[in-house]
């Protein structure tokens, strides 16, 4: 660590659907960094931000912006353009991970299993006819299905379709959050999240967190309301299956080109095979989020890890 405290600007809030979650993540990160001796400013991005960064030249920016404002690569590209070091994946990796269909292709090419799926822009229903599109889906993808926006997080717009007549409504819900939807085969099994941390010595998989929502669905409310989900850290997996999950998460992390911090969401089926669902360049860092739970289960101090990530970002520039 440097002798002079790092000047770190934590960005939180933004204008996405996940603004409130971002504010909670940002405050937790800022508190942990301040407790470790860093000089931290917590800012909500606005029209003055870029000029402020050019004028003050902070040592590091920590984007804690969930949703498009922090994860689609645009802000990260601007930070790269300005030469401002920041924690997390660079813009190219963020763009790959942010688009779920693209991330699935990249993960599959890296040898990670991912559920069969089809990506459908809203215009496909207008051009080809809704009945014809739904018939094609029915012929190739039996229920249960998962329908989700192709971009986005926190399970917003996600529906598990158990009966075929419920598919149109699920599509409408997904299109509320974007013009492209992903329809994916629902793999039954144990849902886990594997956090990845790299403080400069290479990516390391943290203990998998097993997710057991009391409602049966890991919805937005189940993610961020305390008491609505049981978490098991480490996940209740035998050593061989846990190792497979870690390997799958690391393979996806590397294939997507992510750095510093990420989270890969998987389903472990009855045969012990991990299936890739999505990757997150900015995992939630709130009091109920999965990655902090995994860090603590691994015996890490959050302030130390967050400071180490910031220091590595400063060195990399």
């Amino acid at each position: 660590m440097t002798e002079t405290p790092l000047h770190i600007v934590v960005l939180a809030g933004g204008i996405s659907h996940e603004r409130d979650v971002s504010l909670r993540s940002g405050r937790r990160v800022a508190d942990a960094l301040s407790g470790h001796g860093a000089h931290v400013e917590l800012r909500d991005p606005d029209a003055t931000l870029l000029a402020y960064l050019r004028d003050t030249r902070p040592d590091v920016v920590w984007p804690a912006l969930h949703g498009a404002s922090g994860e689609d690569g645009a802000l990260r590209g601007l930070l790269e353009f300005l030469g401002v070091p920041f924690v997390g994946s660079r813009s190219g990796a963020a763009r790959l991970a942010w688009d779920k269909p693209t991330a699935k292709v990249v993960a599959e090419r890296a040898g990670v299993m991912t559920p069969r799926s089809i990506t459908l822009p809203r215009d496909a229903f207008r051009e080809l006819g809704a009945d014809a599109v739904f018939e094609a889906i029915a012929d190739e993808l039996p229920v249960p299905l998962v329908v989700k926006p192709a971009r986005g997080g926190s399970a917003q717009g996600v529906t598990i379709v158990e009966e075929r007549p419920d598919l149109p409504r699920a599509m409408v819900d997904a299109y509320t959050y974007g013009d492209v939807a992903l329809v994916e085969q629902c793999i039954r099994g144990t849902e886990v999240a594997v956090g990845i941390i790299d403080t400069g010595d290479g990516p390391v998989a943290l203990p998998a967190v097993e997710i057991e929502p009391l409602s049966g669905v890991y919805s937005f409310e189940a993610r961020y309301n305390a008491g609505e989900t049981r978490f098991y850290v480490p996940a209740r997996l035998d050593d061989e299956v846990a190792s497979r999950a870690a390997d799958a998460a690391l393979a996806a992390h590397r294939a997507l080109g992510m750095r510093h911090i990420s989270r890969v969401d998987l389903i472990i089926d009855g045969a012990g095979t991990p299936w890739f669902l999505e990757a997150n360049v900015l995992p939630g860092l709130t009091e109920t989020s999965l990655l902090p739970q995994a860090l603590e289960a691994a015996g890490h101090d959050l302030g130390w890890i967050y400071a180490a990530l910031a220091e590595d970002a400063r060195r990399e520039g």
Side-chain angles (χ1 to χ4, degrees):
M1 301 293 173
T2 56
E3 293 182 2
T4 303
L6 287 180
H7 175 201
I8 303 173
V9 174
V10 176
L11 300 177
I15 59 173
S16 81
H17 297 295
E18 299 175 72
R19 173 179 171 80
D20 290 344
V21 177
S22 171
L23 289 170
R24 288 165 60 184
S25 284
R27 281 192 289 268
R28 295 277 290 186
V29 170
D31 289 346
L33 290 169
S34 296
H36 202 73
H39 169 54
V40 181
E41 293 182 75
L42 185 60
R43 288 184 64 97
D44 201 328
D46 57 23
T48 67
L49 175 64
L50 297 182
Y52 172 81
L53 294 177
R54 282 197 302 266
D55 293 342
T56 61
R57 308 302 299 184
D59 294 309
V60 178
V61 167
W62 187 306
L65 296 162
H66 299 302
S69 56
E71 297 182 70
D72 67 358
L75 171 67
R76 294 161 193 263
L78 285 168
L79 294 175
E80 290 165 357
F81 191 72
L82 294 175
V84 177
F86 61 93
V87 172
S89 295
R90 297 193 185 278
S91 59
R95 284 190 290 270
L96 290 176
W98 177 244
D99 188 84
K100 293 180 178 67
T102 301
K104 281 168 61 72
V105 171
V106 173
E108 190 170 32
R109 287 178 179 173
V112 183
M113 297 289 289
T114 187
R116 192 177 182 202
S117 65
I118 184 168
T119 303
L120 292 168
R122 191 196 308 260
D123 287 346
F125 288 88
R126 299 193 186 103
E127 293 173 359
L128 302 174
D131 289 343
V133 172
F134 285 128
E135 184 178 350
I137 296 173
D139 288 344
E140 297 296 329
L141 290 177
V143 290
L145 299 171
V146 179
V147 179
K148 62 182 79 172
R151 299 175 175 181
S154 293
Q156 293 181 315
V158 177
T159 305
I160 296 177
V161 177
E162 302 283 359
E163 302 290 340
R164 184 66 58 183
D166 296 331
L167 181 57
R169 178 70 246 178
M171 300 298 296
V172 170
D173 290 346
Y175 289 137
T176 300
Y177 293 91
D179 289 332
V180 181
L182 177 67
V183 183
E184 187 174 61
Q185 193 68 49
C186 180
I187 304 296
R188 300 295 194 189
T190 302
E191 186 170 359
V192 300
V194 180
I196 308 291
I197 290 291
D198 185 352
T199 58
D201 298 322
V204 175
L206 297 169
V209 181
E210 180 180 345
I211 302 157
E212 187 181 69
L214 301 184
S215 68
V217 178
Y218 195 38
S219 63
F220 182 88
E221 292 75 18
R223 289 166 186 254
Y224 299 112
N225 293 336
E228 294 201 17
T229 302
R230 292 191 187 99
F231 301 104
Y232 300 91
V233 195
R236 297 171 297 178
L237 305 172
D238 66 38
D239 291 345
E240 182 181 350
V241 174
S243 179
R244 286 182 207 151
D247 289 346
L250 285 166
H253 174 96
R254 292 189 178 104
L256 289 163
M258 297 191 288
R259 68 167 189 166
H260 294 156
I261 184 171
S262 74
R263 194 192 76 231
V264 176
D265 297 340
L266 306 164
I267 289 284
I268 312 296
D269 68 15
T273 300
W275 294 76
F276 173 88
L277 299 179
E278 60 185 79
N280 300 269
V281 297
L282 180 60
L285 298 170
T286 72
E287 62 278 4
T288 60
S289 294
L290 306 178
L291 192 132
Q293 293 185 57
L295 283 169
E296 291 172 350
H300 295 301
D301 175 76
L302 295 184
W304 188 93
I305 286 290
Y306 293 170
L309 292 172
E311 180 62 31
D312 192 55
R314 185 196 64 79
R315 283 196 303 267
E316 290 185 15

